[in-house]
């Protein structure tokens, strides 16, 4: 159990829920998010969590597909994940909009971005459609982005709509290296024209972590009893540390151990592992 000291091990034993990153942590996917390959220990970890009755959410920052489609892809890769155990930034965005009374949202994205919002009862405005009374613009995975889409979104924001986004990170882990995050590029264009920085509603936002808690049936007070696992310090580690949860960094994705150790406290992992097998070993020793 090298790399996991006694205090960290005890926190893992007492865990009430886990939030687990998808790309670079459980699996690697292609640049278009079309398919997945399970990483070592991924399937066994989920089995161990279910055996011990520990709720979890696989949380991808991608919105190329609806949550159920990602879950199906993970099952095809050999992982025991139900549709309900998979969440995306669109899941947390829907909860955030509803909590603030926002009902009409222009979505820069296709079905993967739109479906969770529509299922939550929100009025989804298509990317370039003419519309009045738009209360928020929400950007996600959208490689079909056009100039009319940009104009429509900017007009909404100039009229007072909130600028929001699923993600604002430039890259994510994929087979063969890194892939560009579509929403990052779109957000940069919108900000350059409107001066408005998009509010992130996916990782690493507190709203996203609280949505995961709710979906797992845990109270907000359980934040500090969560374990958050991921390969991106600016996403999973930052989200976990802000809430007082245990952050576990893995070097199976975008970043190596040196990157994790040369970070500010906000982004530093409590423990860095080469992958999931050491965590699985610890769980297997728990009674």
């Amino acid at each position: 159990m090298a790399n996991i000291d006694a205090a960290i091990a005890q926190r893992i034993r007492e865990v009430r829920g886990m939030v687990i990153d998808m790309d670079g942590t459980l699996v690697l996917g292609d640049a278009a998010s079309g398919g997945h390959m399970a990483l070592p220990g991924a399937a066994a970890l989920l089995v161990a969590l279910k055996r011990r009755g520990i709720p979890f959410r696989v949380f991808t920052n991608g919105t190329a597909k609806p949550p159920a489609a990602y879950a199906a892809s993970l099952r095809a890769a050999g992982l025991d994940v139900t549709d309900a155990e998979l969440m995306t930034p669109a899941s947390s965005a829907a909860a955030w909009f509803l909590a603030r009374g926002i009902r009409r949202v222009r979505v820069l994205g296709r079905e993967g971005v739109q479906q969770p919002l529509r299922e939550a009862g929100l009025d989804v405005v298509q990317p370039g459609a003419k519309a009045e009374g738009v209360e928020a613009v929400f950007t996600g995975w959208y490689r079909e982005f056009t100039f009319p889409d940009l104009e429509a979104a900017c007009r909404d924001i100039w009229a007072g709509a909130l600028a929001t986004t699923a993600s604002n990170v430039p890259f994510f882990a994929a087979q063969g290296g890194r892939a560009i995050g579509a929403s990052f590029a779109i957000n940069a264009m919108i900000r350059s024209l409107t001066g408005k920085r998009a509010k992130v509603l996916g990782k690493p936002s507190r709203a996203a972590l609280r949505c995961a808690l709710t979906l797992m049936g845990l109270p907000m007070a359980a934040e500090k009893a969560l374990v958050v696992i991921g390969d991106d310090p600016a996403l999973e580690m930052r989200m976990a540390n802000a809430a007082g949860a245990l952050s576990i960094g893995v070097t199976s994705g975008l970043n190596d151990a040196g990157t994790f150790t040369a970070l500010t406290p906000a982004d530093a992992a409590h423990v860095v592992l080469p992958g999931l097998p050491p965590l699985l070993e610890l769980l297997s020793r728990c009674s």
Side-chain angles (χ1 to χ4, degrees):
M1 291 308 302
N3 299 325
I4 300 181
D5 65 26
I8 296 297
Q10 187 60 31
R11 290 190 68 178
I12 294 172
R13 291 188 185 96
E14 296 173 353
V15 62
R16 294 186 62 184
M18 283 195 185
V19 178
I20 310 170
D21 174 48
M22 188 175 81
D23 292 299
T25 302
L26 287 175
V27 296
L28 289 177
D30 63 34
S33 300
H36 293 100
M37 176 189 71
L39 286 165
L45 174 62
L46 301 187
V47 169
L49 293 177
K50 292 190 176 188
R51 184 179 298 126
R52 296 191 66 218
I54 299 172
F56 66 86
R57 284 299 179 274
V58 176
F59 189 3
T60 174
N61 232 28
T63 48
K65 301 175 183 178
Y70 279 121
S73 184
L74 295 188
R75 288 193 293 272
L79 304 186
D80 184 7
V81 178
T82 67
D83 291 354
E85 288 167 338
L86 197 295
M87 65 178 287
T88 75
S91 310
S92 52
W96 192 87
F97 290 138
L98 289 175
R100 283 151 186 80
I102 294 171
R103 293 295 185 273
R104 191 162 170 79
V105 181
R106 182 182 301 279
V107 176
L108 300 188
R110 295 303 184 191
E111 198 61 17
V113 195
Q114 295 183 21
Q115 183 175 302
L117 275 64
R118 194 180 297 114
E119 290 177 348
L122 297 173
D123 180 8
V124 172
V125 177
Q126 294 301 309
K130 293 183 179 180
E132 300 294 331
V134 173
E135 299 169 277
V137 173
F138 182 59
T139 64
W141 180 264
Y142 189 38
R143 290 195 167 191
E144 304 86 353
F145 184 73
T146 67
F147 198 85
D149 299 336
L150 177 63
E151 289 182 314
C154 288
R155 288 195 180 105
D156 291 338
I157 294 168
W158 288 328
L162 297 175
T164 65
T165 186
S167 173
N168 198 42
V169 295
F171 306 110
F172 63 93
Q175 290 181 26
R178 61 186 187 180
I180 296 173
S183 55
F184 177 87
I186 297 170
N187 294 337
M189 285 185 274
I190 291 175
R191 185 183 180 191
S192 69
L193 290 166
T194 67
K196 300 294 184 181
R197 183 191 295 270
K199 180 176 180 60
V200 177
L201 299 178
K203 293 183 289 190
S205 73
R206 195 73 171 270
L209 189 64
R210 287 175 173 170
C211 179
L213 278 166
T214 299
L215 292 173
M216 288 187 284
L218 297 172
M220 294 299 112
E223 278 184 324
K224 291 180 174 58
L226 289 179
V227 170
V228 180
I229 311 168
D231 73 311
D232 193 330
L235 294 181
E236 293 85 31
M237 305 305 100
R238 188 176 298 176
M239 182 173 67
N241 294 343
L246 178 67
S247 56
I248 297 179
V250 291
T251 59
S252 49
L254 287 175
N255 295 290
D256 58 22
T259 302
F260 276 100
T261 57
L263 296 169
T264 64
D267 296 344
H270 289 103
V271 62
V272 180
L273 302 175
L276 297 174
L279 177 61
L280 177 63
E281 183 184 346
L282 176 62
L283 285 172
S284 70
R285 294 183 180 185
C286 296
S287 57

